[in-house]
Amino acid sequence: MNTEDEEVVAMARADGIAILTDLFDTDELTEIRRQFDQAYLDTGKGPGEPGRRDSISGEALLRYPALANLFIHPRILGIVSAILSAKNPWLWQLKTNRYTPEHPGVGKHTDGFPGEISPPFTRQAMAVFLDDISVSSGALTYVPGTHTLHYEDPSDSSRQAPSKEDIGVGNYIPAELKAGSVLFRVPEVWHAVIPIHHLRRYVTGSYATRGRGSQVMADKIKGVSEKRAQVPAAEIPAEFRRVLSY
Ligand SMILES: O=C(O)CCC(=O)C(=O)O
């Protein structure tokens, strides 16, 4: 792994958010955006309505190679693996998000499971942004280090998960980035999105370790695996089988 990627890994583990800048160039982005917009047309979601967040989830995204390849991009997967200390992370969610302006953004929250304290670093999200986000439009804001408050603490077996009130009063700072960059988010970190004044599109994958996780995650593993087993094998290209099967 190169030094830049090592720094991304260290920052994600410490702060809960880290950005790999400019991974994709203009030509690559043009093709990714083209297939992204096509997927929205193909799934009947149209060109987007002001104030709406539209998502596409699941294996249907594998039909769009420029999107699908993001989930197994060697540098992205290498960084996710290192954050999770897992050789072969499991890709459990494949998703796109499109926010059409004017959009109010997203309120302060965590993607930690409600009320749950979990082993550290068992889940990790990445998002490849197709549009710039800035402090004047659509920046993700977060409270560095708060993911660790959702983790088991060997010196405090009675630790309780942070409350909604705790999450509401954190000191949120913005993450800015250019289209073609990748944002790595530890799901438990407290985060929000400021109001959005221009189109905001990204492709996101959520990965998990295959070892001991939380009870909620165990239920999700069962549910996703059962659903995935219904997808005809021919629709899962060979290079995705390892990362998709639990
Ligand atoms: O759109 C984003 O950048 C983050 C959305 C969000 O907060 C979430 O999916 O939990």
Side-chain angles (χ1 to χ4, degrees), residues 53 97 99 106-107 109 111 129 140 185 191-193 200 202:
R53 168 178 167 171
N97 273 320
Y99 296 77
V106 179
H109 67 286
D111 292 343
F129 275 82
L140 182 95
R185 174 160 54 80
H191 60 281
V193 178
R200 185 177 190 274
Y202 63 89

Side-chain angles (χ1 to χ4, degrees), residues 127-187:
V128 177
F129 275 82
L130 311 192
D131 302 289
D132 300 349
I133 59 172
S134 70
V135 292
S136 53
S137 175
L140 182 95
T141 63
Y142 66 104
V143 187
T146 43
H147 55 301
T148 61
L149 301 173
H150 295 258
Y151 291 162
E152 290 169 356
D153 177 356
S155 66
D156 177 10
S157 57
S158 63
R159 176 175 259 190
Q160 300 285 310
S163 66
K164 268 198 170 147
E165 290 69 33
D166 296 329
I167 294 167
V169 297
N171 183 22
Y172 285 72
I173 62 168
E176 286 195 289
L177 56 76
K178 294 275 178 227
S181 302
V182 189
L183 188 142
F184 293 88
R185 174 160 54 80
V186 178

Side-chain angles (χ1 to χ4, degrees), residues 34-124:
R34 191 188 69 73
Q35 294 191 21
F36 185 105
D37 293 343
Q38 187 62 49
Y40 277 79
L41 295 177
D42 293 348
T43 50
K45 296 182 195 293
E49 276 172 37
R52 192 153 180 162
R53 168 178 167 171
D54 294 307
S55 306
I56 304 173
S57 298
E59 291 73 20
L61 291 171
L62 299 176
R63 293 181 202 137
Y64 303 91
L67 309 185
N69 286 333
L70 304 176
F71 299 112
I72 54 166
H73 187 285
R75 282 185 71 188
I76 295 176
L77 212 44
I79 289 170
V80 168
S81 299
I83 296 168
L84 293 175
S85 309
K87 268 204 185 116
N88 177 22
W90 179 54
L91 175 59
W92 69 289
Q93 284 183 329
L94 304 79
K95 192 170 176 182
T96 62
N97 273 320
R98 176 183 68 185
Y99 296 77
T100 305
E102 291 293 313
H103 189 288
V106 179
K108 298 171 179 174
H109 67 286
T110 174
D111 292 343
F113 298 129
E116 189 179 83
I117 291 293
S118 73
F121 300 105
T122 59
R123 294 188 289 135
Q124 179 61 37

